[in-house]
Amino acid sequence: MAESLTDTKQVQELLNRVAGLDQRGGDERLKRIVHRVATEMCRIIEEFDVTPTEFWTAVSYVTRLGQANEVGLLVPGLGIETFLDVVMDEKERRAGLEGGTPRTIEGPLYITDAPLAKGEARLDQDPERGEALFVEGQVTGPGGKPVPGAIVDVWHANTKGGYSFFDPSQSPWNLRRRIETDAEGRYRFRTIMPSGYGCPPDGPTQHLLSAIGRHGQRPAHVHFFVEAPGFRKLTTQINIAGDKYLHDDFAFATRDGLIPEVERHDDPAEIKARGLNEPFATIRFDFQLNREAASLPEAVVVREHAKAA
Ligand code: DHB
Ligand code: FE
């Protein structure tokens, strides 16, 4: 084909009609976006000589992706959720905002309204053999001023990499809590050391990743939302140092500043003092929030979440 078919008058007219550009009603910006998407699909079909059979295979794939509830899994796997963070970081930078704990992706496994505790909580409810992990830190604002009454909403996987609610073998709210910071802005919790997450091996996300020579593994991590009145909501994660996938995360969420040191404790007196009989781990991680201001892009992301029944 000498000339691009997409560029012909016939196809250009088709695309204008597809996007409603020849109609008065409707949203102008959405029309332009639909026009771009449809145009790029035509260009891809042309450039890669996509056959009808291949095209309908892709349609089936997208259908299965939705049926398996894995759209929210593939999006970060394709780097798009990280790109949204890159855009938000850049908008904040241009608005003159600097400092604070780095954001990183939320991922698809958050559940709203986890039990609320004051100051401290224990997250592991289900009996599992694993390393006890104690996490503590302080929420501060710019300049290090403590933020009492902040809500630290934390969720993470169990030792098998599964999340309660999505993994029916776990009890409701296992490894999920909201913790309100104390008068000094401090929070702390006891839990078990999570394992990294792997995409469901037979699911459509892993299917595509495998087809392009990629794995679907995440390093062990702990998710957080940190919120307080007058401050910008922070969406972030900490990664567990030493994990094989620390810098090879299929969801591209690892960032400098989000890899705290993990301290291992095997001194018998310390073990006893914690009421344990095995070595344990501790992490200290402080969150620094930025002040909210009307000039800044919206930090609260409106996103549909599963709700526990
Ligand atoms: C993804 C993110 C997670 O935090 C997780 O545990 C699993 C998957 C994701 O981005 O797809
Ligand atoms: Fe996760």
Side-chain angles (χ1 to χ4, degrees), residues 156-208:
H156 69 81
N158 69 2
T159 61
K160 299 190 186 73
Y163 284 79
S164 64
F165 182 84
F166 301 94
D167 166 9
S169 79
Q170 296 182 46
S171 66
W173 306 116
N174 190 38
L175 311 177
R176 299 177 185 273
R177 286 294 183 278
R178 288 177 298 153
I179 305 166
E180 187 181 328
T181 58
D182 68 14
E184 279 88 49
R186 295 187 190 282
Y187 75 93
R188 56 191 165 123
F189 59 88
R190 173 180 170 173
T191 190
I192 46 157
M193 187 64 81
S195 285
Y197 169 94
C199 287
D202 300 323
T205 301
Q206 186 57 57
H207 185 93
L208 177 60

Coordinates of all heavy atoms in Angstrom, one line a residue, residues 156-208:
H156 N -2.1 -4.5 52.9 CA -1.0 -5.2 52.3 C -1.4 -6.7 52.1 O -2.4 -7.2 52.7 CB 0.3 -5.0 53.0 CG 0.4 -5.6 54.3 ND1 0.7 -7.0 54.5 CD2 0.3 -5.1 55.6 CE1 0.8 -7.2 55.8 NE2 0.5 -6.1 56.5
A157 N -0.5 -7.4 51.4 CA -0.8 -8.9 51.2 C -0.3 -9.7 52.3 O 0.5 -9.3 53.1 CB 0.0 -9.3 49.9
N158 N -0.8 -11.0 52.3 CA -0.3 -11.9 53.3 C 1.0 -12.6 52.9 O 1.6 -12.2 51.9 CB -1.4 -12.9 53.7 CG -1.8 -13.9 52.6 OD1 -1.2 -13.8 51.5 ND2 -2.7 -14.7 52.8
T159 N 1.4 -13.6 53.6 CA 2.7 -14.3 53.2 C 2.6 -15.0 51.9 O 3.6 -15.4 51.4 CB 3.1 -15.3 54.3 OG1 2.1 -16.3 54.4 CG2 3.2 -14.6 55.7
K160 N 1.4 -15.2 51.4 CA 1.3 -15.8 50.0 C 1.1 -14.8 48.9 O 0.8 -15.2 47.8 CB 0.1 -16.8 50.1 CG 0.3 -17.9 51.1 CD -0.7 -19.0 50.9 CE -0.7 -20.1 51.9 NZ -1.2 -19.6 53.2
G161 N 1.1 -13.5 49.3 CA 0.9 -12.5 48.3 C -0.6 -12.2 48.0 O -0.9 -11.5 47.0
G162 N -1.5 -12.7 48.8 CA -2.9 -12.5 48.6 C -3.5 -11.4 49.5 O -3.0 -11.1 50.6
Y163 N -4.5 -10.7 49.0 CA -5.2 -9.6 49.7 C -6.5 -10.1 50.2 O -7.3 -10.6 49.5 CB -5.4 -8.4 48.8 CG -4.1 -7.6 48.6 CD1 -3.2 -8.0 47.7 CD2 -3.9 -6.4 49.3 CE1 -2.0 -7.3 47.4 CE2 -2.7 -5.7 49.0 CZ -1.8 -6.1 48.1 OH -0.7 -5.4 47.9
S164 N -6.9 -9.7 51.5 CA -8.2 -10.1 52.0 C -9.2 -9.4 51.1 O -8.9 -8.4 50.4 CB -8.3 -9.6 53.5 OG -8.3 -8.2 53.6
F165 N -10.4 -10.0 51.1 CA -11.5 -9.6 50.3 C -11.4 -10.2 48.9 O -12.3 -11.0 48.4 CB -11.7 -8.1 50.1 CG -12.9 -7.7 49.3 CD1 -14.2 -7.7 49.8 CD2 -12.8 -7.5 47.9 CE1 -15.3 -7.4 49.1 CE2 -13.9 -7.2 47.1 CZ -15.2 -7.1 47.7
F166 N -10.3 -10.0 48.2 CA -10.0 -10.6 46.9 C -9.7 -12.1 47.1 O -9.9 -12.9 46.1 CB -9.0 -9.8 46.1 CG -9.4 -8.4 46.0 CD1 -8.9 -7.4 46.8 CD2 -10.2 -8.0 44.9 CE1 -9.3 -6.1 46.7 CE2 -10.6 -6.7 44.8 CZ -10.2 -5.7 45.6
D167 N -9.0 -12.4 48.2 CA -8.6 -13.8 48.5 C -9.6 -14.3 49.5 O -9.5 -14.0 50.7 CB -7.2 -13.8 49.0 CG -6.8 -15.1 49.6 OD1 -7.5 -16.1 49.5 OD2 -5.7 -15.1 50.2
P168 N -10.5 -15.2 49.1 CA -11.6 -15.6 50.1 C -11.1 -16.5 51.2 O -11.8 -16.7 52.2 CB -12.6 -16.4 49.2 CG -11.8 -16.7 47.9 CD -10.7 -15.7 47.8
S169 N -9.8 -16.9 51.1 CA -9.3 -17.7 52.3 C -9.0 -16.9 53.5 O -8.7 -17.4 54.6 CB -8.0 -18.5 51.8 OG -6.9 -17.7 51.8
Q170 N -8.9 -15.5 53.3 CA -8.6 -14.6 54.4 C -9.9 -14.1 55.0 O -10.9 -13.9 54.4 CB -7.7 -13.5 54.0 CG -6.4 -13.9 53.5 CD -5.5 -12.7 53.1 OE1 -5.4 -11.8 53.8 NE2 -4.9 -12.8 51.9
S171 N -9.8 -13.7 56.3 CA -11.0 -13.2 57.0 C -11.2 -11.7 56.6 O -10.2 -11.1 56.2 CB -10.8 -13.3 58.5 OG -9.8 -12.5 59.0
P172 N -12.4 -11.2 56.7 CA -12.6 -9.8 56.3 C -11.7 -8.9 57.1 O -11.5 -9.0 58.3 CB -14.1 -9.6 56.7 CG -14.7 -10.9 56.7 CD -13.6 -11.9 57.1
W173 N -11.1 -7.9 56.4 CA -10.2 -6.9 56.9 C -8.9 -7.4 57.4 O -8.1 -6.6 57.9 CB -10.9 -6.1 58.0 CG -12.3 -5.6 57.6 CD1 -13.5 -5.9 58.2 CD2 -12.5 -4.6 56.6 NE1 -14.5 -5.2 57.5 CE2 -13.9 -4.4 56.5 CE3 -11.7 -3.9 55.7 CZ2 -14.5 -3.6 55.6 CZ3 -12.3 -3.1 54.8 CH2 -13.7 -2.9 54.7
N174 N -8.6 -8.6 57.1 CA -7.2 -9.1 57.5 C -6.2 -8.2 56.7 O -6.3 -8.0 55.5 CB -7.0 -10.6 57.1 CG -5.7 -11.2 57.6 OD1 -5.3 -10.9 58.7 ND2 -5.1 -12.0 56.8
L175 N -5.2 -7.7 57.5 CA -4.1 -6.9 56.9 C -4.6 -5.5 56.3 O -4.0 -5.0 55.3 CB -3.3 -7.7 55.9 CG -2.9 -9.1 56.4 CD1 -2.1 -9.8 55.3 CD2 -2.0 -8.9 57.7
R176 N -5.7 -5.0 56.8 CA -6.3 -3.7 56.4 C -6.7 -3.0 57.6 O -7.5 -3.5 58.4 CB -7.5 -3.9 55.5 CG -7.2 -4.6 54.2 CD -8.5 -4.8 53.4 NE -8.4 -5.6 52.2 CZ -8.0 -5.1 51.1 NH1 -7.7 -3.8 50.9 NH2 -7.8 -5.9 50.0
R177 N -6.2 -1.8 57.8 CA -6.7 -0.9 59.0 C -6.5 0.5 58.6 O -5.7 0.9 57.7 CB -5.8 -1.2 60.2 CG -6.0 -2.5 61.0 CD -7.4 -2.6 61.6 NE -7.6 -3.8 62.3 CZ -7.9 -5.0 61.8 NH1 -8.1 -5.1 60.5 NH2 -8.1 -6.0 62.6
R178 N -7.3 1.4 59.3 CA -7.1 2.8 59.3 C -6.6 3.2 60.7 O -7.3 2.7 61.7 CB -8.4 3.6 58.9 CG -8.8 3.4 57.5 CD -10.1 4.1 57.2 NE -11.2 3.6 57.9 CZ -12.3 4.2 58.3 NH1 -12.4 5.5 58.0 NH2 -13.2 3.6 59.0
I179 N -5.6 3.9 60.8 CA -5.0 4.3 62.1 C -4.9 5.8 62.2 O -4.4 6.5 61.3 CB -3.6 3.7 62.3 CG1 -3.6 2.2 62.0 CG2 -3.0 4.0 63.6 CD1 -2.2 1.5 61.9
E180 N -5.5 6.3 63.2 CA -5.5 7.8 63.4 C -4.3 8.1 64.2 O -4.0 7.5 65.3 CB -6.8 8.2 64.2 CG -6.9 9.7 64.3 CD -8.2 10.0 65.1 OE1 -9.2 9.3 65.1 OE2 -8.1 11.0 65.8
T181 N -3.5 9.1 63.7 CA -2.2 9.4 64.4 C -2.5 10.1 65.8 O -3.5 10.8 65.9 CB -1.3 10.4 63.6 OG1 -2.1 11.6 63.3 CG2 -0.9 9.7 62.3
D182 N -1.6 9.9 66.7 CA -1.8 10.4 68.1 C -1.4 11.9 68.2 O -1.2 12.5 67.1 CB -1.0 9.6 69.1 CG 0.5 9.7 69.0 OD1 1.0 10.6 68.3 OD2 1.2 8.8 69.5
A183 N -1.3 12.4 69.4 CA -1.1 13.9 69.6 C 0.3 14.3 69.0 O 0.4 15.5 68.6 CB -1.1 14.2 71.1
E184 N 1.2 13.4 68.8 CA 2.5 13.7 68.2 C 2.5 13.3 66.7 O 3.6 13.3 66.1 CB 3.7 13.0 68.9 CG 4.1 13.6 70.2 CD 3.3 13.1 71.4 OE1 3.2 11.9 71.5 OE2 2.8 14.0 72.1
G185 N 1.4 13.0 66.2 CA 1.3 12.6 64.8 C 1.9 11.2 64.5 O 2.2 10.8 63.4
R186 N 2.0 10.4 65.6 CA 2.6 9.1 65.4 C 1.5 8.0 65.2 O 0.4 8.1 65.7 CB 3.4 8.7 66.7 CG 4.6 9.6 66.9 CD 5.4 9.1 68.0 NE 6.4 10.2 68.3 CZ 7.5 10.4 67.6 NH1 7.8 9.6 66.6 NH2 8.3 11.4 67.9
Y187 N 2.0 7.0 64.4 CA 1.2 5.8 64.2 C 2.1 4.6 64.4 O 3.3 4.7 64.3 CB 0.6 5.8 62.7 CG 1.7 5.4 61.7 CD1 1.9 4.1 61.3 CD2 2.6 6.4 61.2 CE1 2.9 3.7 60.4 CE2 3.6 6.0 60.4 CZ 3.7 4.7 60.0 OH 4.8 4.4 59.1
R188 N 1.5 3.5 64.7 CA 2.3 2.2 64.7 C 1.4 1.0 64.6 O 0.2 1.1 64.9 CB 3.2 2.1 65.9 CG 2.6 2.2 67.2 CD 3.7 2.3 68.3 NE 3.1 2.7 69.6 CZ 3.1 2.0 70.7 NH1 3.8 0.9 70.8 NH2 2.5 2.5 71.8
F189 N 2.0 0.0 63.9 CA 1.2 -1.2 63.8 C 2.0 -2.4 63.8 O 3.2 -2.4 63.5 CB 0.2 -1.2 62.6 CG 0.9 -1.0 61.2 CD1 1.4 -2.1 60.5 CD2 1.1 0.2 60.7 CE1 1.9 -2.0 59.3 CE2 1.6 0.4 59.4 CZ 2.1 -0.7 58.7
R190 N 1.4 -3.5 64.3 CA 2.0 -4.8 64.2 C 1.4 -5.6 63.1 O 0.1 -5.6 62.9 CB 1.9 -5.6 65.5 CG 2.4 -7.0 65.4 CD 2.3 -7.8 66.6 NE 2.6 -9.2 66.3 CZ 2.7 -10.2 67.2 NH1 2.5 -9.9 68.5 NH2 2.9 -11.4 66.9
T191 N 2.2 -6.4 62.3 CA 1.6 -7.2 61.2 C 2.5 -8.3 60.9 O 3.4 -8.6 61.8 CB 1.3 -6.3 60.0 OG1 0.5 -7.0 59.1 CG2 2.5 -5.7 59.4
I192 N 2.4 -9.0 59.8 CA 3.3 -10.0 59.4 C 4.0 -9.5 58.1 O 3.4 -8.8 57.3 CB 2.7 -11.4 59.1 CG1 1.4 -11.2 58.3 CG2 2.5 -12.1 60.4 CD1 1.1 -12.4 57.5
M193 N 5.2 -9.9 57.9 CA 5.9 -9.5 56.7 C 5.2 -10.0 55.4 O 4.9 -11.2 55.3 CB 7.3 -10.1 56.7 CG 8.2 -9.6 55.6 SD 8.6 -7.8 55.7 CE 9.8 -7.8 56.9
P194 N 4.8 -9.1 54.5 CA 4.1 -9.6 53.3 C 5.0 -10.2 52.3 O 6.2 -10.0 52.4 CB 3.5 -8.3 52.7 CG 4.4 -7.2 53.2 CD 4.9 -7.6 54.6
S195 N 4.4 -11.0 51.4 CA 5.2 -11.5 50.2 C 4.8 -10.6 49.1 O 3.8 -9.9 49.1 CB 4.8 -12.9 49.9 OG 5.4 -13.8 50.9
G196 N 5.6 -10.7 48.0 CA 5.3 -10.0 46.8 C 4.0 -10.6 46.2 O 3.6 -11.7 46.5
Y197 N 3.4 -9.8 45.3 CA 2.2 -10.2 44.6 C 2.5 -10.7 43.2 O 3.4 -10.1 42.6 CB 1.2 -9.0 44.5 CG 0.0 -9.1 43.7 CD1 -1.2 -9.5 44.2 CD2 0.1 -8.9 42.3 CE1 -2.3 -9.7 43.4 CE2 -1.0 -9.0 41.5 CZ -2.2 -9.4 42.1 OH -3.3 -9.6 41.3
G198 N 1.8 -11.7 42.8 CA 1.9 -12.1 41.4 C 0.6 -12.1 40.7 O -0.4 -12.5 41.4
C199 N 0.5 -11.6 39.5 CA -0.8 -11.6 38.8 C -1.3 -13.1 38.7 O -0.5 -14.0 38.6 CB -0.6 -11.2 37.3 SG -0.2 -9.5 37.2
P200 N -2.6 -13.2 38.8 CA -3.2 -14.6 38.6 C -2.6 -15.3 37.4 O -2.7 -14.7 36.3 CB -4.7 -14.3 38.5 CG -4.9 -13.0 39.1 CD -3.7 -12.2 38.9
P201 N -1.9 -16.4 37.6 CA -1.1 -17.0 36.5 C -1.9 -17.4 35.3 O -1.4 -17.4 34.2 CB -0.5 -18.2 37.1 CG -1.2 -18.4 38.4 CD -1.8 -17.2 38.8
D202 N -3.2 -17.7 35.5 CA -4.0 -18.1 34.3 C -4.9 -16.9 33.8 O -5.8 -17.2 33.0 CB -4.9 -19.3 34.7 CG -4.0 -20.5 35.1 OD1 -3.0 -20.6 34.5 OD2 -4.4 -21.2 36.0
G203 N -4.7 -15.8 34.3 CA -5.6 -14.6 34.0 C -5.1 -13.9 32.7 O -4.0 -14.1 32.3
P204 N -6.0 -13.0 32.2 CA -5.7 -12.3 31.0 C -4.5 -11.4 31.1 O -3.8 -11.1 30.1 CB -7.0 -11.6 30.6 CG -7.9 -11.7 31.9 CD -7.4 -12.8 32.7
T205 N -4.3 -10.8 32.3 CA -3.2 -9.9 32.4 C -1.8 -10.6 32.2 O -1.0 -10.2 31.4 CB -3.2 -9.2 33.8 OG1 -4.4 -8.4 33.9 CG2 -2.0 -8.2 34.0
Q206 N -1.7 -11.7 33.0 CA -0.5 -12.5 32.8 C -0.4 -13.1 31.4 O 0.8 -13.2 30.9 CB -0.5 -13.7 33.9 CG 0.8 -14.4 33.9 CD 2.0 -13.6 34.2 OE1 2.1 -12.9 35.2 NE2 3.0 -13.5 33.2
H207 N -1.5 -13.4 30.8 CA -1.5 -13.9 29.4 C -0.8 -12.9 28.5 O 0.1 -13.3 27.7 CB -2.9 -14.1 29.0 CG -3.1 -14.8 27.7 ND1 -3.2 -16.1 27.5 CD2 -3.1 -14.3 26.4 CE1 -3.3 -16.4 26.2 NE2 -3.2 -15.3 25.5
L208 N -1.2 -11.6 28.6 CA -0.5 -10.6 27.7 C 0.9 -10.4 28.1 O 1.8 -10.3 27.2 CB -1.3 -9.3 27.8 CG -0.7 -8.1 27.0 CD1 -0.6 -8.5 25.5 CD2 -1.5 -6.9 27.2

